[in-house]
Amino acid sequence: MAKCLVTGGAGFIGSHLCEKLLEQKNEVICVDNFFTGAKRNIARLLANPNFELVRHDITFPLYLEVDEIYNLACPAAPIHYQRDPVQTTKTSVHGAINMLGLAKRIKAKILQASTSEVYGDPIVHPQPESYWGNVNPIGPRSCYDEGKRCAETLFFDYWRQHKMPIRVVRIFNTYGPRMTVDDGRVVSNFIIQALRGEDITIYGDGSQTRSFQYIDDLVEAMIRMMGNKNDFIGPVNLGNPKEFTIKELAEKVVEMAGSKSKIAYKPLPEDDPKQRQPDIALAKKELGWEPKIPLEEGLKKTIKYFKEILSEK
Ligand code: NAD
Ligand code: UDP
């Protein structure tokens, strides 16, 4: 049993992580400024005596006593992180400095939720952790991509300079219940469009690929990474290597939602990566982990969640 701090704990991934950590009998402090997170995501955890909620923006210093810090605070969907790009970079960079400073002071282990976006629009496929990426430093996605890259740099400098026990995970596209309705991500967009009988908006010709990891698989891997006893610090890719084209995903969602929606093709956004697929050999070797939940099973649970949400509105 450990005392854990989860920044961004009221968000999509953070809320599932808080829930799992509590299930495993840990104490959890959730820190969130509710920029994209929602109280409903953690509402059922509030009654748990091992759970505590702190409203705080991690770009400002924080002092708490914990054993482990999971640093997830940062808007993750392009629509959200592009709303205030300067704040996005601040959250990634100042947030990392504040959380690393806290970890150093209280001698806590600290895990950074990094992203596959550190690879940018990759020219190596699939992407191993040794690939340095192909990132535009001045484009509309740069506040997120470069912010996350700088956060990784900080983590590794704290490790080299201060010998701190760090962990860095690079998360690939993850989906599941509690994704926000308006986040513009492909899985939530398609499911909502299918449930409402609206056109399914494919950007470009739909031949670009993504691999989709169900939330429960990711949470399992993050907890294993924090707890690994081999001093394996990463960075490690966490994702589902099974690749789908966006067109295949659209067709699957329409079919599974029992929808009559038609496909509508829209322009491809700037800097939209053509392919993205994790190489997870390292996670398999070091963590004995690989994703277990196939797309159909995860989509079923996610469609059920969005049906409930839409019926409340
Ligand atoms: P999310 O937007 O649902 O959650 C982010 C949470 O951080 C929200 O609750 C938000 O209110 C909070 N937050 C934002 N700025 C903050 C600040 N300055 N101080 C305190 N809290 C703040 O996104 P998510 O999908 O749950 O992503 C969580 C983490 O995982 C992020 O760091 C993201 O970069 C990373 N990640 C997610 C994915 C994915 O597919 N969802 C992929 C790669 C990486
Ligand atoms: N996409 C799409 N229609 C949508 C939303 C997204 O075709 O309504 C495409 C988008 O252009 C990208 C892929 O789906 O090629 C994944 O987009 P998302 O924003 O979910 O994730 P990311 O681009 O960050 O991987």
Side-chain angles (χ1 to χ4, degrees), residues 12-313:
F12 159 51
I13 298 174
S15 63
H16 286 275
L17 178 63
C18 289
E19 204 171 308
K20 190 48 129 189
L21 289 168
L22 288 168
E23 238 174 78
Q24 297 179 350
K25 306 287 175 229
N26 299 290
E27 282 180 46
V28 174
I29 303 176
C30 163
V31 165
D32 206 294
N33 70 348
F34 294 103
F35 181 68
T36 51
K39 288 196 182 129
R40 63 168 297 149
N41 289 344
I42 45 160
R44 50 180 290 270
L45 306 182
L46 292 171
N48 188 323
N50 288 328
F51 183 76
E52 218 177 310
L53 172 64
V54 179
R55 187 183 194 114
H56 176 81
D57 179 335
I58 64 154
T59 61
F60 296 96
L62 175 69
Y63 186 77
L64 291 166
E65 291 280 355
V66 290
D67 308 308
E68 297 176 349
I69 302 172
Y70 289 87
N71 188 37
L72 275 68
C74 186
I79 277 185
H80 294 151
Y81 69 65
Q82 288 168 2
R83 194 180 294 156
D84 186 349
V86 172
Q87 173 67 13
T88 299
T89 304
K90 277 190 190 166
T91 294
S92 282
V93 179
H94 290 187
I97 291 172
N98 287 331
M99 292 307 109
L100 283 161
L102 173 65
K104 178 168 173 264
R105 183 168 170 191
I106 62 176
K107 298 191 171 32
K109 224 192 250 184
I110 180 165
L111 177 145
Q112 169 68 358
S114 190
T115 168
S116 53
E117 300 282 336
V118 299
Y119 301 121
D121 190 357
I123 42 180
V124 170
H125 192 74
Q127 296 89 51
E129 290 82 352
S130 53
Y131 177 52
W132 289 355
N134 178 36
V135 180
N136 176 358
I138 56 166
R141 295 176 84 113
S142 310
C143 58
Y144 184 72
D145 302 6
E146 296 289 21
K148 288 286 187 177
R149 285 169 70 93
C150 184
E152 285 200 11
T153 307
L154 283 161
F155 268 69
F156 277 80
D157 281 334
Y158 268 78
W159 171 69
R160 268 186 293 265
Q161 206 173 323
H162 302 297
K163 316 280 176 270
M164 284 186 29
I166 61 152
R167 305 281 186 265
V168 175
V169 299
R170 291 181 178 157
I171 303 169
F172 282 65
N173 297 51
T174 303
Y175 71 100
R178 303 195 201 129
M179 294 179 86
T180 37
V181 172
D182 64 346
D183 73 0
R185 309 297 295 271
V186 70
V187 174
S188 43
N189 264 16
F190 285 2
I191 292 179
I192 286 160
Q193 290 163 343
L195 291 175
R196 288 182 174 152
E198 295 167 355
D199 284 352
I200 307 285
T201 54
I202 290 188
Y203 304 155
D205 63 5
S207 65
Q208 72 270 37
T209 67
R210 292 292 187 277
S211 56
F212 302 100
Q213 160 171 249
Y214 188 65
I215 181 68
D216 292 0
D217 281 328
L218 171 66
V219 166
E220 164 74 27
M222 289 174 86
I223 294 175
R224 276 197 201 193
M225 182 63 179
M226 180 67 101
N228 92 73
K229 301 275 184 274
N230 316 332
D231 290 330
F232 171 58
I233 60 173
V236 65
N237 291 338
L238 299 179
N240 192 324
K242 181 103 180 67
E243 208 178 1
F244 294 89
T245 65
I246 294 305
K247 186 150 185 281
E248 283 170 334
L249 175 74
E251 289 162 354
K252 214 174 259 296
V253 168
V254 169
E255 185 200 315
M256 289 185 64
S259 167
K260 294 196 165 47
S261 293
K262 301 267 172 301
I263 286 176
Y265 291 92
K266 305 272 175 192
L268 193 67
E270 193 181 335
D271 286 348
D272 195 275
K274 248 332 256 170
Q275 286 185 305
R276 193 178 303 116
Q277 184 192 24
D279 176 336
I280 59 162
L282 193 61
K284 279 188 188 164
K285 176 171 166 268
E286 296 287 347
L287 307 175
W289 170 90
E290 63 183 308
K292 293 199 172 66
I293 299 160
L295 186 63
E296 285 77 9
E297 191 182 327
L299 281 180
K300 205 167 140 193
K301 293 182 182 172
T302 314
I303 291 171
K304 181 169 175 280
Y305 169 79
F306 279 115
K307 253 189 200 157
E308 285 163 16
I309 293 283
L310 294 183
S311 71
E312 283 170 17
K313 292 203 165 172

